Amino acid sequence: MASFLPTGKPLVYLITITCSAGFLNFGYDQGVFAGSLVSHYYLTTFGPDPNTPPNASTQGTTSALFDIGGAVGALAVLFIGAILGRRRAIQLGCVLVTVGAILQATSSTLGQLIAGRLVTGVGVGIQTTTVPNYLAECTPAASRGAHMAIEICIAALGLFLAQSATPYKWINYSQAYSESKFAFAFPLAFQVVFAIFTGCFCFVLPESPRWLVSRGRVREAEAVVLRLLGNGVTPETEEVRHMMKEMLEAEELESRGGAQSRFKQLFTSGPTQNARRVGLACLVAIGQQATGINAITYYVPTLLETYLKVGRQGSLLIGGFFSLVSFVFTLPTIILIDKIGRISLFIIGCVIQAICWIIIAALIPTAPEGSTVFGGVIVAFIFVFFACYSTCWLATSWGYGAEVLPLNIRSDGLGFAGIWVWFFNFVIVEWTPTAIQNIGYKYYIILAVFNVAMIPIFYYCAPETRGKTLEEMDFYFASKYGGQADLAAVEAQHRVLEKDVNSGVDAHGRKVGEKDEGSVQDKESVGKGGGVRTEEVEASEVSSSG
């Protein structure tokens, strides 16, 4: 952690901006490839011959392979996320995004384009799995949702930038009449800027204090907490002591689950109900795609050309306004998410989104041939869907998994949930062109049913995380689902530990030496077996934390 960085709220906002730039690649790549699919270079280069454009199956597969790469990236986090830490995992994602973007931008064969899509997908998969985790672990409970909403708001800005070369021209739209390779390559290469920005800032930002606690580096975690809180706090400040005590108690409570393997911990219950919480993270991941958002995000130009019979330039212009709507309507989430809560937003979103799909499905088969009125109404309800999803689901769905999962498996659990995000993203993107061709409006009825089905599931099964610290979620699940005895034992142990240290006697009855005086966490931390161990922080570990 660089000493020249600010402390307190400015540092938290710097972390938020860095995370946002990393997440921006996700929105940008989804938006930019929609324009690439209808560019002159794509249509004449990647088909069977210059006069035959790629068919719907090739188009769907080329788009969807980005999501396969995303699933691989999420799977990679499952194996390496807890080892690398939050910052280094994000940096690895940045490197892969850069390589993949260059491959896509310079491609002249379908094979190279596919390879670039896959590599970029892996990088974005690592970023989208790790960034919410890092941000959730570095922001205060009272405003955690707002910080996550800011992150996603900027990601939505990435979707807008996918159409924008300057504040006044959209990238894809500005190149709509161009037949050059530049019109295809520049928008794809531009995402390298965001990857470099995020990767560089991760060198100087602090590591997540929760991850440091999980690795036994408690003294470093406390140093990060002091920087995040700012305002001249010390290790003896009550807020610092309370935060460190909560993190240590949660880490000890989670260690009582019984399973030794990190992967087995994902599917065991224990006092913190790991399996139940992984299931909730996966539920939100699947629900995010079941809303049908990517049936629009990837194929806005194609949908508009199909149903409104507009030309490529017109479809890209309207598609650019879709991205603007996504950005603008994410802004209310910054205020709403910490006021009305995550679950309320999920349910409100499902209701409105289902209504939009039903109306769209009813209008498409009844629209008179060439009717601009019906076409305009269809477009209007697609706009309403986009606006509703942006406000109710976009930020909420990406942050909820990080909030609901326990510390020891948070990285692994998000990696596992991320696989489902990308798998269902792939399914939606792969099936949409074919579904539109074969069953038309009925496809939108299916999406409406998915939204309706999620309403009772979220109402009865998903707990609210608003205003709760990440550690309080551990205590909530332990209290609600039979882990009260373990929770009481851990709390009692830490009360004794703190009392002994404050009185100058350690947990083994020895007098605390003057050399060791300081905070509870500087001297001792909770061990995996329920006892107490002396913390040893090697010089190499200190330097590796930044």
Side-chain angles (χ1 to χ4, degrees):
M1 175 171 52
S3 59
F4 59 80
L5 291 176
T7 62
K9 287 184 179 180
L11 177 57
V12 173
Y13 277 103
L14 182 59
I15 293 172
T16 302
I17 292 170
T18 302
C19 289
S20 301
F23 217 92
L24 190 148
N25 281 120
F26 178 56
Y28 183 88
D29 202 287
Q30 283 190 314
V32 78
F33 206 68
S36 300
L37 290 174
V38 289
S39 69
H40 181 271
Y41 182 81
Y42 175 82
L43 295 174
T44 59
T45 303
F46 300 105
D49 59 71
N51 297 317
T52 306
N55 58 32
S57 177
T58 300
Q59 175 181 304
T61 300
T62 307
S63 297
L65 282 171
F66 171 78
D67 304 304
I68 293 296
V72 173
L75 181 63
V77 173
L78 183 61
F79 289 95
I80 65 175
I83 298 171
L84 290 180
R86 314 311 187 213
R87 294 180 311 153
R88 288 176 179 170
I90 293 171
Q91 287 175 313
L92 175 60
C94 291
V95 171
L96 293 173
V97 167
T98 301
V99 172
I102 293 172
L103 284 173
Q104 289 183 78
T106 59
S107 60
S108 57
T109 65
L110 185 61
Q112 182 177 340
L113 179 63
I114 287 173
R117 293 292 289 166
L118 281 168
V119 174
T120 304
V122 174
V124 173
I126 292 173
Q127 288 180 323
T128 55
T129 303
T130 310
V131 162
N133 198 355
Y134 180 47
L135 189 59
E137 293 180 344
C138 292
T139 50
S143 59
R144 186 175 59 240
H147 285 280
M148 290 185 169
I150 292 171
E151 170 197 65
I152 302 302
C153 184
I154 295 179
L157 179 62
L159 185 62
F160 176 70
L161 286 176
Q163 309 293 334
S164 170
T166 72
Y168 310 100
K169 291 183 180 180
W170 287 299
I171 288 176
N172 283 326
Y173 177 61
S174 67
Q175 300 295 329
Y177 288 134
S178 176
E179 297 184 0
S180 68
K181 184 176 181 179
F182 179 81
F184 170 83
F186 175 71
L188 293 171
F190 190 69
Q191 61 192 299
V192 170
V193 174
F194 316 127
I196 292 175
F197 176 87
T198 301
C200 290
F201 265 94
C202 280
F203 278 112
V204 297
L205 289 174
E207 182 55 87
S208 158
R210 268 95 178 182
W211 180 79
L212 290 169
V213 166
S214 73
R215 308 302 289 181
R217 294 158 59 174
V218 185
R219 187 178 303 164
E220 295 174 69
E222 185 181 69
V224 173
V225 167
L226 295 176
R227 296 297 301 273
L228 291 174
L229 291 177
N231 298 320
V233 297
T234 69
E236 298 304 324
T237 302
E238 180 60 30
E239 186 177 4
V240 176
R241 293 171 66 87
H242 176 72
M243 286 183 64
M244 294 304 301
K245 182 172 178 287
E246 263 198 341
M247 284 190 278
L248 291 168
E249 286 183 352
E251 198 269 346
E252 166 64 12
L253 183 64
E254 292 169 21
S255 71
R256 294 176 172 237
Q260 297 301 313
S261 165
R262 285 188 9 246
F263 304 108
K264 287 183 179 179
Q265 289 179 26
L266 294 174
F267 309 107
T268 56
S269 293
T272 53
Q273 295 291 298
N274 290 3
R276 184 186 299 272
R277 296 162 76 174
V278 170
L280 287 169
C282 292
L283 168 66
V284 174
I286 295 169
Q288 180 190 94
Q289 301 305 315
T291 61
I293 182 61
N294 282 317
I296 294 177
T297 303
Y298 274 88
Y299 298 114
V300 163
T302 305
L303 291 173
L304 294 173
E305 289 181 22
T306 300
Y307 293 122
L308 294 187
K309 309 301 181 184
V310 297
R312 177 171 182 257
Q313 187 181 20
S315 69
L316 287 175
L317 176 61
I318 298 173
F321 282 113
F322 273 108
S323 63
L324 180 60
V325 167
S326 183
F327 168 68
V328 169
F329 279 88
T330 308
L331 294 173
T333 314
I334 298 173
I335 298 172
L336 293 175
I337 192 168
D338 287 316
K339 289 189 178 296
I340 69 174
R342 285 62 160 160
I343 305 306
S344 296
L345 285 174
F346 282 141
I347 293 174
I348 292 169
C350 285
V351 171
I352 299 175
Q353 289 156 192
I355 292 172
C356 289
W357 285 132
I358 291 170
I359 293 174
I360 291 169
L363 289 173
I364 288 174
T366 58
E369 182 69 25
S371 171
T372 57
V373 174
F374 273 72
V377 174
I378 291 171
V379 171
F381 275 98
I382 294 176
F383 269 103
V384 172
F385 176 93
F386 232 66
C388 176
Y389 181 88
S390 298
T391 298
C392 297
W393 267 82
L394 191 55
T396 316
S397 59
W398 282 108
Y400 187 78
E403 292 182 310
V404 80
L405 286 166
L407 172 62
N408 281 348
I409 63 162
R410 187 168 294 137
S411 179
D412 303 333
L414 283 177
F416 185 72
I419 295 171
W420 292 100
V421 170
W422 292 101
F423 173 74
F424 277 91
N425 200 336
F426 170 80
V427 169
I428 294 294
V429 175
E430 174 71 21
W431 285 358
T432 292
T434 305
I436 291 173
Q437 281 186 352
N438 294 333
I439 62 175
Y441 73 93
K442 296 176 183 177
Y443 179 58
Y444 304 113
I445 295 177
I446 294 172
L447 296 177
V449 171
F450 286 159
N451 279 273
V452 171
M454 287 190 287
I455 295 172
I457 294 175
F458 279 104
Y459 183 81
Y460 289 108
C461 300
E464 181 56 67
T465 59
R466 174 172 59 99
K468 296 182 175 70
T469 66
L470 302 179
E471 291 71 37
E472 284 177 332
M473 294 307 298
D474 274 357
F475 308 149
Y476 164 82
F477 279 95
S479 299
K480 186 174 178 63
Y481 297 104
Q484 296 96 329
D486 291 285
L487 177 58
V490 169
E491 289 176 339
Q493 176 179 303
H494 278 265
R495 282 196 298 271
V496 171
L497 175 61
E498 187 169 15
K499 179 181 178 181
D500 287 343
V501 173
N502 287 339
S503 64
V505 179
D506 69 17
H508 299 287
R510 297 189 295 262
K511 186 175 181 180
V512 177
E514 182 178 348
K515 180 180 179 180
D516 294 321
E517 288 182 5
S519 72
V520 174
Q521 291 76 25
D522 277 337
K523 295 189 251 329
E524 296 170 321
S525 61
V526 179
K528 295 288 184 183
V532 177
R533 57 181 169 83
T534 302
E535 180 190 82
E536 297 177 355
V537 182
E538 297 179 358
S540 61
E541 289 183 314
V542 175
S543 62
S544 69
S545 69

